[in-house]
Amino acid sequence: MEAATQSASTLYDQRASAIRHHLFLLCPNNSGSTFLSQAIGRCSKVWSLEREGQHTFGFAGPSTMRTKWPLIWAASEESLSHFTDSAAYDWQRNKRVWYLQATAEDPAASVFITKAPPFLMLADDLRAAFANTSFIIMVRNPYAALEGILRRRRRSHIADPGDLASIGARHLITCMARQKDNAAQHADISMTVSYEELCADPANAGAQIRALVPGLDDLDLVKRQTVKGIYDEPLRDMNAEQIERLTPADIAAANAVFSQHRDLLAHFGYELI
Protein backbone atom coordinates (compact mmCIF):
# COMPACT_ATOMS: atom_id res chain seq x y z
CA MET A 1 0.00 0.00 0.00
CA GLU A 2 2.81 2.39 0.89
CA ALA A 3 4.59 1.65 -2.39
CA ALA A 4 1.39 2.26 -4.34
CA THR A 5 0.85 5.55 -2.51
CA GLN A 6 4.40 6.64 -3.27
CA SER A 7 3.97 5.63 -6.91
CA ALA A 8 0.75 7.66 -7.24
CA SER A 9 2.41 10.60 -5.55
CA THR A 10 5.37 10.41 -7.91
CA LEU A 11 3.09 10.16 -10.94
CA TYR A 12 1.06 13.14 -9.78
CA ASP A 13 4.20 15.20 -9.21
CA GLN A 14 5.46 14.34 -12.69
CA ARG A 15 2.22 15.36 -14.34
CA ALA A 16 1.82 18.46 -12.19
CA SER A 17 5.30 19.49 -13.32
CA ALA A 18 4.46 18.91 -16.99
CA ILE A 19 1.01 20.53 -17.11
CA ARG A 20 1.24 24.26 -17.65
CA HIS A 21 -2.16 25.11 -19.13
CA HIS A 22 -5.71 24.18 -18.07
CA LEU A 23 -8.40 24.29 -20.74
CA PHE A 24 -12.05 24.01 -19.74
CA LEU A 25 -14.77 23.62 -22.33
CA LEU A 26 -17.77 25.50 -20.92
CA CYS A 27 -20.89 24.24 -22.64
CA PRO A 28 -24.54 23.43 -22.01
CA ASN A 29 -25.32 19.74 -22.39
CA ASN A 30 -26.44 18.57 -25.85
CA SER A 31 -24.49 21.35 -27.53
CA GLY A 32 -21.97 19.40 -29.58
CA SER A 33 -19.17 19.73 -27.07
CA THR A 34 -18.26 16.03 -26.96
CA PHE A 35 -16.91 16.11 -30.52
CA LEU A 36 -14.83 19.21 -29.79
CA SER A 37 -13.42 17.97 -26.49
CA GLN A 38 -12.45 14.63 -28.02
CA ALA A 39 -10.75 16.31 -30.96
CA ILE A 40 -8.70 18.49 -28.63
CA GLY A 41 -7.99 15.51 -26.38
CA ARG A 42 -6.38 13.68 -29.29
CA CYS A 43 -3.69 16.32 -29.68
CA SER A 44 -0.28 14.94 -28.71
CA LYS A 45 0.39 17.73 -26.20
CA VAL A 46 -2.90 17.28 -24.32
CA TRP A 47 -3.85 15.35 -21.22
CA SER A 48 -7.51 14.31 -21.35
CA LEU A 49 -9.99 12.15 -19.44
CA GLU A 50 -12.08 9.27 -20.72
CA ARG A 51 -15.17 10.72 -19.05
CA GLU A 52 -16.40 14.20 -18.16
CA GLY A 53 -14.60 15.81 -15.26
CA GLN A 54 -17.69 15.50 -13.05
CA HIS A 55 -17.96 11.76 -13.74
CA THR A 56 -14.33 10.87 -13.11
CA PHE A 57 -13.78 8.41 -10.25
CA GLY A 58 -13.07 10.30 -7.05
CA PHE A 59 -14.49 13.63 -8.21
CA ALA A 60 -15.24 15.80 -5.18
CA GLY A 61 -18.39 17.71 -5.99
CA PRO A 62 -21.92 17.36 -7.34
CA SER A 63 -22.42 15.16 -10.39
CA THR A 64 -25.51 15.23 -12.59
CA MET A 65 -25.62 11.41 -12.64
CA ARG A 66 -26.25 11.33 -8.91
CA THR A 67 -29.22 13.72 -8.92
CA LYS A 68 -32.78 13.90 -10.22
CA TRP A 69 -31.77 16.66 -12.65
CA PRO A 70 -29.59 15.15 -15.39
CA LEU A 71 -29.77 17.34 -18.52
CA ILE A 72 -32.02 19.92 -16.78
CA TRP A 73 -29.82 20.94 -13.86
CA ALA A 74 -30.21 24.71 -14.48
CA ALA A 75 -34.01 24.78 -14.68
CA SER A 76 -34.86 25.56 -11.06
CA GLU A 77 -33.50 27.42 -8.05
CA GLU A 78 -33.17 24.13 -6.16
CA SER A 79 -31.05 22.46 -8.81
CA LEU A 80 -28.95 25.56 -9.44
CA SER A 81 -28.20 25.88 -5.73
CA HIS A 82 -27.04 22.28 -5.69
CA PHE A 83 -24.52 22.77 -8.49
CA THR A 84 -23.31 26.29 -7.70
CA ASP A 85 -22.40 25.75 -4.05
CA SER A 86 -18.67 26.47 -4.11
CA ALA A 87 -18.19 24.78 -0.75
CA ALA A 88 -19.34 21.47 -2.27
CA TYR A 89 -16.26 21.25 -4.50
CA ASP A 90 -12.70 20.34 -3.55
CA TRP A 91 -10.72 21.51 -6.55
CA GLN A 92 -7.33 20.49 -5.20
CA ARG A 93 -8.57 16.93 -4.80
CA ASN A 94 -10.16 17.09 -8.23
CA LYS A 95 -6.91 18.23 -9.75
CA ARG A 96 -5.20 15.22 -8.23
CA VAL A 97 -7.76 12.63 -9.40
CA TRP A 98 -7.89 14.22 -12.85
CA TYR A 99 -4.13 14.27 -13.28
CA LEU A 100 -3.79 10.66 -12.14
CA GLN A 101 -6.50 9.39 -14.52
CA ALA A 102 -5.66 11.53 -17.54
CA THR A 103 -3.83 10.12 -20.54
CA ALA A 104 -1.68 11.76 -23.19
CA GLU A 105 0.28 10.65 -26.21
CA ASP A 106 3.31 12.55 -24.92
CA PRO A 107 4.20 12.22 -21.20
CA ALA A 108 5.59 15.74 -21.40
CA ALA A 109 2.26 17.12 -22.67
CA SER A 110 1.62 20.56 -21.19
CA VAL A 111 -2.15 21.08 -21.64
CA PHE A 112 -4.95 19.53 -19.59
CA ILE A 113 -8.54 19.60 -20.88
CA THR A 114 -11.83 18.60 -19.37
CA LYS A 115 -15.48 19.56 -19.48
CA ALA A 116 -18.74 19.07 -17.62
CA PRO A 117 -21.84 21.11 -18.45
CA PRO A 118 -22.41 22.39 -14.87
CA PHE A 119 -18.91 23.84 -14.93
CA LEU A 120 -20.23 26.75 -17.01
CA MET A 121 -21.79 27.99 -13.76
CA LEU A 122 -18.41 27.74 -12.00
CA ALA A 123 -16.05 29.67 -14.26
CA ASP A 124 -14.93 32.00 -11.46
CA ASP A 125 -14.10 29.06 -9.20
CA LEU A 126 -12.20 27.24 -11.93
CA ARG A 127 -10.18 30.31 -12.79
CA ALA A 128 -9.25 30.81 -9.14
CA ALA A 129 -8.35 27.15 -8.53
CA PHE A 130 -6.29 26.34 -11.63
CA ALA A 131 -3.20 28.14 -12.86
CA ASN A 132 -3.05 29.44 -16.42
CA THR A 133 -6.67 28.70 -17.26
CA SER A 134 -8.47 29.19 -20.57
CA PHE A 135 -12.12 28.72 -21.48
CA ILE A 136 -13.81 27.75 -24.72
CA ILE A 137 -17.37 29.04 -24.32
CA MET A 138 -19.82 27.18 -26.52
CA VAL A 139 -23.52 27.59 -27.38
CA ARG A 140 -25.94 25.92 -29.78
CA ASN A 141 -29.32 26.62 -31.33
CA PRO A 142 -31.59 26.08 -28.32
CA TYR A 143 -34.26 24.20 -30.27
CA ALA A 144 -31.72 21.60 -31.42
CA ALA A 145 -30.25 21.35 -27.93
CA LEU A 146 -33.76 20.95 -26.51
CA GLU A 147 -34.51 18.07 -28.88
CA GLY A 148 -31.44 16.27 -27.59
CA ILE A 149 -32.58 16.74 -24.01
CA LEU A 150 -36.09 15.49 -24.75
CA ARG A 151 -34.86 12.48 -26.69
CA ARG A 152 -32.34 11.40 -24.07
CA ARG A 153 -34.68 11.93 -21.11
CA ARG A 154 -37.62 10.18 -22.77
CA ARG A 155 -35.64 7.08 -23.71
CA SER A 156 -34.10 6.80 -20.24
CA HIS A 157 -35.56 5.51 -17.02
CA ILE A 158 -35.44 8.96 -15.42
CA ALA A 159 -38.75 10.03 -13.90
CA ASP A 160 -40.61 12.55 -16.07
CA PRO A 161 -40.54 15.87 -14.17
CA GLY A 162 -43.69 17.15 -15.88
CA ASP A 163 -43.68 19.55 -18.82
CA LEU A 164 -40.25 18.50 -19.97
CA ALA A 165 -40.14 20.82 -23.00
CA SER A 166 -40.77 23.88 -20.80
CA ILE A 167 -38.30 22.70 -18.16
CA GLY A 168 -35.65 22.00 -20.79
CA ALA A 169 -36.19 25.42 -22.35
CA ARG A 170 -35.77 27.13 -18.97
CA HIS A 171 -32.60 25.16 -18.41
CA LEU A 172 -31.14 26.25 -21.75
CA ILE A 173 -32.04 29.91 -21.22
CA THR A 174 -30.28 29.89 -17.85
CA CYS A 175 -27.20 28.35 -19.46
CA MET A 176 -27.19 30.88 -22.32
CA ALA A 177 -27.50 33.79 -19.90
CA ARG A 178 -24.52 32.53 -17.93
CA GLN A 179 -22.52 31.95 -21.10
CA LYS A 180 -23.12 35.57 -22.07
CA ASP A 181 -21.79 36.63 -18.67
CA ASN A 182 -18.85 34.22 -18.90
CA ALA A 183 -17.82 35.65 -22.26
CA ALA A 184 -17.90 39.20 -20.86
CA GLN A 185 -16.24 38.47 -17.52
CA HIS A 186 -13.50 36.19 -18.85
CA ALA A 187 -12.87 37.74 -22.25
CA ASP A 188 -9.14 37.92 -21.54
CA ILE A 189 -8.76 34.14 -21.26
CA SER A 190 -11.55 32.80 -23.45
CA MET A 191 -13.03 32.42 -26.91
CA THR A 192 -16.69 31.95 -27.77
CA VAL A 193 -17.85 29.67 -30.55
CA SER A 194 -21.24 28.34 -31.52
CA TYR A 195 -21.91 24.80 -32.66
CA GLU A 196 -23.05 26.27 -35.97
CA GLU A 197 -19.81 28.21 -36.46
CA LEU A 198 -17.78 25.14 -35.56
CA CYS A 199 -19.60 23.04 -38.16
CA ALA A 200 -19.55 25.72 -40.86
CA ASP A 201 -15.88 26.61 -40.58
CA PRO A 202 -13.84 24.14 -38.49
CA ALA A 203 -10.59 25.57 -39.86
CA ASN A 204 -11.37 28.99 -38.42
CA ALA A 205 -12.49 27.52 -35.10
CA GLY A 206 -9.29 25.50 -34.95
CA ALA A 207 -7.19 28.60 -35.59
CA GLN A 208 -8.94 30.41 -32.74
CA ILE A 209 -8.35 27.50 -30.38
CA ARG A 210 -4.67 27.32 -31.29
CA ALA A 211 -4.35 31.05 -30.68
CA LEU A 212 -5.96 30.64 -27.27
CA VAL A 213 -3.90 27.60 -26.28
CA PRO A 214 -0.48 27.38 -27.94
CA GLY A 215 0.87 23.91 -28.59
CA LEU A 216 -2.17 22.38 -30.25
CA ASP A 217 -0.54 22.34 -33.67
CA ASP A 218 -1.98 18.93 -34.53
CA LEU A 219 -5.60 19.83 -33.70
CA ASP A 220 -7.85 18.26 -36.35
CA LEU A 221 -11.53 19.26 -36.32
CA VAL A 222 -12.26 17.44 -39.58
CA LYS A 223 -11.30 13.91 -38.55
CA ARG A 224 -14.25 11.69 -37.64
CA GLN A 225 -14.94 11.05 -33.96
CA THR A 226 -16.99 8.47 -32.08
CA VAL A 227 -19.47 10.42 -29.96
CA LYS A 228 -21.35 8.82 -27.04
CA GLY A 229 -21.25 5.44 -28.77
CA ILE A 230 -23.91 6.67 -31.21
CA TYR A 231 -22.16 8.64 -33.96
CA ASP A 232 -18.92 7.81 -35.71
CA GLU A 233 -18.52 10.42 -38.42
CA PRO A 234 -16.92 13.75 -39.27
CA LEU A 235 -18.29 16.97 -37.82
CA ARG A 236 -21.56 18.04 -39.43
CA ASP A 237 -24.44 20.31 -38.50
CA MET A 238 -27.32 18.16 -37.20
CA ASN A 239 -29.59 21.06 -36.24
CA ALA A 240 -32.14 20.70 -39.03
CA GLU A 241 -32.78 17.01 -38.50
CA GLN A 242 -33.02 17.42 -34.74
CA ILE A 243 -35.37 20.40 -34.91
CA GLU A 244 -37.51 18.45 -37.37
CA ARG A 245 -38.09 15.85 -34.66
CA LEU A 246 -39.69 18.38 -32.30
CA THR A 247 -43.46 18.17 -32.17
CA PRO A 248 -45.69 21.27 -32.51
CA ALA A 249 -46.42 20.91 -28.78
CA ASP A 250 -42.69 20.84 -28.00
CA ILE A 251 -42.12 24.01 -30.02
CA ALA A 252 -45.08 25.79 -28.47
CA ALA A 253 -43.85 24.97 -24.97
CA ALA A 254 -40.33 26.08 -25.84
CA ASN A 255 -41.53 29.31 -27.41
CA ALA A 256 -43.49 30.19 -24.29
CA VAL A 257 -40.09 30.37 -22.58
CA PHE A 258 -37.84 31.53 -25.43
CA SER A 259 -40.16 34.40 -26.42
CA GLN A 260 -39.43 36.05 -23.07
CA HIS A 261 -35.72 36.10 -23.93
CA ARG A 262 -35.59 37.22 -27.55
CA ASP A 263 -32.68 39.58 -26.90
CA LEU A 264 -30.61 36.81 -25.34
CA LEU A 265 -31.25 34.50 -28.29
CA ALA A 266 -30.45 37.32 -30.71
CA HIS A 267 -27.18 38.00 -28.88
CA PHE A 268 -25.99 34.58 -30.02
CA GLY A 269 -27.61 34.84 -33.47
CA TYR A 270 -30.72 32.74 -32.85
CA GLU A 271 -34.38 33.47 -33.62
CA LEU A 272 -37.70 32.04 -32.55
CA ILE A 273 -39.16 29.32 -34.76
Side-chain angles (χ1 to χ4, degrees), residues 8-42:
S9 180
T10 299
L11 182 61
Y12 172 79
D13 289 342
Q14 291 172 343
R15 294 184 177 180
S17 177
I19 294 170
R20 289 289 177 264
H21 205 126
H22 298 90
L23 176 60
F24 294 95
L25 179 50
L26 303 183
C27 53
N29 45 280
N30 302 91
S31 294
S33 61
T34 300
F35 187 101
L36 179 56
S37 63
Q38 288 184 177
I40 296 173
R42 288 188 172 183

Side-chain angles (χ1 to χ4, degrees), residues 104-123:
E105 183 179 315
D106 183 348
S110 59
V111 178
F112 173 85
I113 183 175
T114 192
K115 69 156 185 139
F119 288 1
L120 71 87
M121 308 299 298
L122 302 165

Side-chain angles (χ1 to χ4, degrees), residues 117-136:
F119 288 1
L120 71 87
M121 308 299 298
L122 302 165
D124 291 346
D125 292 356
L126 292 170
R127 184 169 186 171
F130 294 87
N132 199 16
T133 296
S134 294
F135 299 131
I136 297 176

